Amino acid sequence: MPKILGIETSCDETSASVLEGSGDEVEMKSLVILSQDIHKVFGGVVPEIASRAHLTSIVPVVSRALEDAKVDLDDLDAIAVTSAPGLIGALLVGVSYAKSLAFARGIPVIGVHHMEGHLFATALEHRDAVPPFTGLLVSGGHTMLLDVEAWGHYRLLGATRDDAAGEAFDKVAKLMGLPYPGGRHVEALAREGDPSRFRFTRPMVKRNDTPNDPDYYQFSFSGLKTAVLNAVRASDDVERDKTDIARGFQDALIGSLVEKTLRAANEFGRDRIVLGGGVACNTTLVEAMRERASEIGAQVFAPKPRLATDNAAMIARAGLFHFERGVRSGLDLNAFASQPIPGLVAA
Ligand code: KG4
Ligand code: ZN
């Protein structure tokens, strides 16, 4: 069975993981994630600090992942590394290190698209979270709705026109004075909130939408964020109102995600919905998705938080898929801040 090392440094997590297996039978031998807490001080990720932090932690993080998996470099068949999209300086640390290791050991290196990694993450935990399925990726940087007919065949149905879902959570958290990253804090507030006091419209959802409508599968969260800002400004007691505002915001955002995902599952006749990305940690989202999916007999798979947020196991898993198909990146593998997900088929 091939053993593969995954490396992820696209944003503010330095992560390494070893997987062993083949096809959809894959065992996670180790997963190490080092989160860079320093960015909390600045209320957002500072790219230059992220690159430097990856430089100091990449060697111990990879060593630890090998130790935990009880393998050494000579046991590895390949190294997979996130090569796009992300912060360019941060990506370069992982890509350069992966290439050096691969060159030194004479094994292949495989560049992996970060969002393709997120699509594979849930399969590490749930055997049935495999294609065909409707995929919803919701993170701090991306919001993507995809129809996944098979691994490597991705029909991109919709994306965000402005802010990503996680970014909207983080911005709303900031204007309520909550720490960064704010998603889970907003979710905690919303749980205490009254759903009837602040009703915001679900973005990009019209009652008579048809699949021919250009916005049928699209998302947009910046108008919702502005509506929240206006509600906060209009409040004479933000401390009193913030749970209710958080609830109204979250209901509208989740309403939009659930509606569009169910539209896609219906149109393509999928009975599996796979969630990924940091916002998939939101249990209110997962429950709402399950409730609506049950009406059409579809199952919803969400990864546990360690696999939902950025991690190297998902990169190793996507890398293993490509490795088994003979894909190899050369030592000229480069990092790219943005790049379309590979394997896109026409929508
Ligand atoms: O996938 P991820 O770790 O990093 C990116 O690739 O962006 O996602 C991080 C995002 C942040 O915006 C964070 O606020 C959000 O995921 N997040 C949540 C929750 N937990 C994390 N958003 C809503 N509810 C949560 N419970
Ligand atoms: Zn991510």
Side-chain angles (χ1 to χ4, degrees):
M1 288 283 196
K3 287 192 184 71
I4 189 163
L5 168 70
I7 296 178
E8 153 67 38
T9 63
S10 70
C11 191
D12 58 347
E13 260 87 32
T14 315
S15 179
S17 167
V18 176
L19 303 186
E20 180 176 8
S22 180
D24 285 325
E25 300 294 321
V26 181
E27 191 192 342
M28 189 166 81
K29 306 293 259 183
S30 67
L31 172 58
V32 178
I33 305 173
L34 189 68
S35 293
Q36 303 174 356
D37 283 343
I38 177 80
H39 304 287
K40 290 198 171 102
V41 177
F42 303 97
V45 178
V46 183
E48 184 59 21
I49 294 178
S51 317
R52 285 165 191 262
H54 286 306
L55 269 180
T56 52
S57 36
I58 185 91
V59 175
V61 164
V62 169
S63 305
R64 180 64 189 268
L66 294 171
E67 255 170 51
D68 286 359
K70 299 187 175 55
V71 298
D72 66 37
L73 283 172
D74 293 323
D75 300 322
L76 296 175
D77 295 281
I79 300 176
V81 61
T82 310
S83 53
L87 302 170
I88 193 70
L91 285 166
L92 276 169
V93 175
V95 168
S96 312
Y97 189 60
K99 287 201 293 187
S100 329
L101 278 184
F103 177 67
R105 297 289 146 167
I107 54 174
V109 61
I110 297 152
V112 171
H113 192 283
H114 182 80
M115 300 314 287
E116 187 178 29
H118 274 301
L119 270 183
F120 273 94
T122 317
L124 287 165
E125 193 184 348
H126 301 284
R127 293 179 63 88
D128 293 335
V130 293
F133 62 76
T134 301
L136 177 71
L137 299 181
V138 272
S139 71
H142 295 268
T143 306
M144 296 168 90
L145 180 62
L146 304 118
D147 182 65
V148 180
E149 201 182 315
W151 292 129
H153 292 263
Y154 311 120
R155 186 179 279 113
L156 179 61
L157 301 172
T160 178
R161 296 223 185 276
D162 37 60
D163 293 349
E167 190 180 355
F169 268 103
D170 294 339
K171 286 179 176 171
V172 163
K174 198 169 188 170
L175 61 92
M176 288 180 169
L178 300 168
Y180 172 87
R184 65 191 175 88
H185 302 289
V186 173
E187 184 185 14
L189 274 189
R191 207 167 281 136
E192 312 295 317
D194 174 349
S196 65
R197 281 200 63 220
F198 293 87
R199 287 182 188 271
F200 303 107
T201 36
R202 290 181 298 171
M204 311 282 269
V205 178
K206 283 183 262 132
R207 194 167 300 156
N208 301 320
D209 271 352
T210 68
N212 297 327
D213 188 315
D215 290 336
Y216 192 67
Y217 290 126
Q218 304 302 322
F219 301 99
S220 162
F221 299 113
S222 96
L224 175 60
K225 172 196 67 193
T226 308
V228 171
L229 176 65
N230 291 338
V232 168
R233 284 196 179 138
S235 165
D236 56 10
D237 187 347
V238 176
E239 276 312 303
R240 180 200 63 209
D241 288 342
K242 72 181 182 186
T243 52
D244 301 336
I245 297 175
R247 177 65 188 261
F249 159 75
Q250 184 174 270
D251 283 354
L253 186 141
I254 288 177
S256 177
L257 294 178
V258 170
E259 174 65 29
K260 309 248 162 170
T261 307
L262 266 293
R263 284 177 181 180
N266 260 321
E267 185 178 342
F268 292 91
R270 305 299 182 209
D271 60 5
R272 295 170 201 184
I273 293 170
V274 173
L275 308 181
V279 182
C281 297
N282 188 297
T283 52
T284 320
L285 165 67
V286 179
E287 280 159 20
M289 194 71 80
R290 289 219 162 103
E291 202 175 312
R292 279 288 302 284
S294 69
E295 292 166 14
I296 60 161
Q299 259 185 300
V300 175
F301 299 96
K304 62 184 172 197
R306 247 172 106 66
L307 293 173
T309 54
D310 291 350
N311 70 84
M314 68 185 196
I315 302 304
R317 180 67 187 77
L320 182 63
F321 165 76
H322 292 295
F323 174 73
E324 292 201 285
R325 264 146 206 83
V327 175
R328 308 286 184 263
S329 303
L331 287 174
D332 56 353
L333 174 67
N334 206 348
F336 295 92
S338 66
Q339 192 180 67
I341 196 165
L344 281 181
V345 294

